[in-house]
Amino acid sequence: MEEDLAVRRIVVIGTGLIGTSIALAMRGRGVEVLLSDRDGACLDLAVQLGAGTPLPDDGPDEPADLAVLAVPPAAVAPVLLEAQKHGLARVYTDVASVKALPLREAAVLGCDLTTFVAGHPLAGRERSGPAAARADLFLGRTWALCPAGDTAPEAVAVVEALATACGARTLTVDAAEHDRAVALVSHSPHVVSAAMAARLRGADEVALGLAGQGVRDVTRIAAGDPRLWVGILTANAGPVADVLDEVATDLAVAAALLRDGSDGAMDHVAGLLTQGNEGTSRIPGKHGGRQSRYAVVPVVLPDRPGELALLFQAAGVAGVNIEDVSIEHSPGLAVGVVELSVEPAAAGRLADELRARGWSVPG
């Protein structure tokens, strides 16, 4: 943490994935971390992982510098009120993925919003709970801050320092604008992914045997905890419903055009696919700017220990930086195809090095 802020002790309420990851990151920076959770098993596991020590029943001997409320959106306001009544910390923040509802409820309950900075680290995994926590979860990620109009600048500075210490970059945004944005880029995609994954429940063995990377890509995020996501979607229902209405309209029109099957109808389907290309190209790239166009070098790789390490070592010898990597497994076979994304000018050099070392590089 920044020296001039003198943050030496934080309290983390909620030892799930995000709360425990924050605790681990701050412990790595030498900050004292006190943990609290209604679920004793989660709390015990977080403590065993080295995320901190349990918060005493009567609270800390003096207010902590910062309390992080890692609880669902509906719980933020009541937990904040209780924490402030007990003088748990000097500054408070939360990590819920919805911001407008908790702020409204906190105001209604009479919480002190001058010391509260609504926050949302945009990081996560398909797995949940403290066992999935990682100290590096927030590296390079955006951490949204949505302070209320009367939030003290000093409080904002403390939470900015927390995010920075966790390796994130902060973005200050209005709460309502934040909720509309995450409805588009996070919440609605989860529902769409779940709807597609639900189609697989009745899939026969032939269909499942033909499942490839495409269906895995589309359904990956559908593996999230339904209870967690019901809370998120309930808290951001309006903006999510607006996006889903638009997606549903596109899908309904596409279905009707496909049944029509005429050349004109298929031209309209092609138009939707083209719009999809255009939208995908606008997603920020590796370093937050415009997406770069990389060359893909496919490598047939035996499924045995150490093979990936040797592959990366070979790329290092060739002086080639691997920008991205994906693995396509071959069902029933002890091989897979690793796709290495590299700068186009380096693709030939990498392919030559890999072939010289005995790997099969198609193309």
Side-chain angles (χ1 to χ4, degrees), residues 8-358:
R8 296 290 178 264
R9 173 191 284 181
I10 69 171
V11 175
V12 176
I13 302 176
T15 53
L17 168 65
I18 300 299
T20 304
S21 293
I22 291 173
L24 289 170
M26 299 316 297
R27 287 281 290 165
R29 299 295 297 264
V31 175
E32 180 186 358
V33 180
L34 300 175
L35 303 171
S36 175
D37 199 305
R38 293 186 302 175
D39 187 325
C42 285
L43 175 60
D44 289 345
L45 180 53
V47 171
Q48 292 174 30
L49 291 171
T53 58
L55 176 69
D57 292 337
D58 55 354
D61 52 3
E62 61 178 295
D65 300 300
L66 175 65
V68 179
L69 315 181
V71 297
V76 170
V79 171
L80 174 62
L81 180 65
E82 189 69 15
Q84 289 183 334
K85 282 183 177 179
H86 288 86
L88 197 61
R90 298 182 180 89
V91 175
Y92 302 84
T93 189
D94 76 309
V95 298
S97 66
V98 180
K99 301 274 65 94
L101 177 66
L103 278 170
R104 286 197 304 270
E105 293 181 340
V108 170
L109 290 178
C111 296
D112 178 10
L113 295 183
T114 65
T115 62
F116 176 63
V117 184
H120 176 206
L122 281 89
R125 306 179 66 187
E126 291 78 50
R127 297 169 56 205
S128 59
R134 292 175 8 198
D136 64 352
L137 186 66
F138 311 102
L139 290 178
R141 299 304 184 100
T142 300
W143 195 307
L145 302 181
C146 305
D150 52 353
T151 302
E154 296 81 5
V156 176
V158 170
V159 180
E160 285 179 339
L162 169 75
T164 300
C166 288
R169 58 181 186 273
T170 59
L171 173 66
T172 301
V173 60
D174 173 75
E177 183 180 1
H178 166 277
D179 290 356
R180 290 192 297 271
V182 294
L184 175 63
V185 302
S186 175
H187 301 167
S188 296
H190 191 93
V191 180
V192 173
S193 176
M196 188 62 236
R199 310 279 72 75
L200 301 177
R201 291 179 305 158
D204 58 28
E205 292 304 313
V206 173
L208 295 176
L210 294 173
Q213 196 59 40
V215 72
R216 291 189 179 93
D217 288 344
V218 171
T219 61
R220 178 182 59 82
I221 57 175
D225 183 352
R227 293 172 299 176
L228 170 67
W229 275 96
V230 165
I232 293 171
L233 295 171
T234 299
N236 202 25
V240 173
D242 290 342
V243 176
L244 292 179
D245 277 342
E246 295 175 354
V247 173
T249 297
D250 281 346
L251 294 177
V253 170
L257 292 171
L258 290 170
R259 289 192 176 93
D260 179 302
S262 66
D263 290 343
M266 297 313 294
D267 286 342
H268 286 293
V269 173
L272 176 60
L273 298 178
T274 299
Q275 291 173 25
N277 291 160
E278 295 168 351
T280 298
S281 70
R282 297 198 65 204
I283 299 173
K286 178 180 175 182
H287 300 293
R290 296 185 63 182
Q291 287 192 34
S292 299
R293 292 189 177 275
Y294 298 123
V296 175
V297 178
V299 189
V300 180
L301 206 66
D303 187 8
R304 60 190 181 211
E307 202 71 16
L308 272 175
L310 292 173
L311 188 66
F312 295 149
Q313 182 185 48
V317 170
V320 176
N321 185 53
I322 297 175
E323 304 291 344
D324 202 355
V325 60
S326 65
I327 302 176
E328 175 73 36
H329 299 282
S330 298
L333 299 176
V335 297
V337 176
V338 177
E339 294 186 332
L340 304 175
S341 296
V342 301
E343 291 291 344
R349 185 166 76 254
L350 177 59
D352 290 343
E353 179 69 28
L354 297 178
R355 291 191 184 102
R357 290 170 177 256

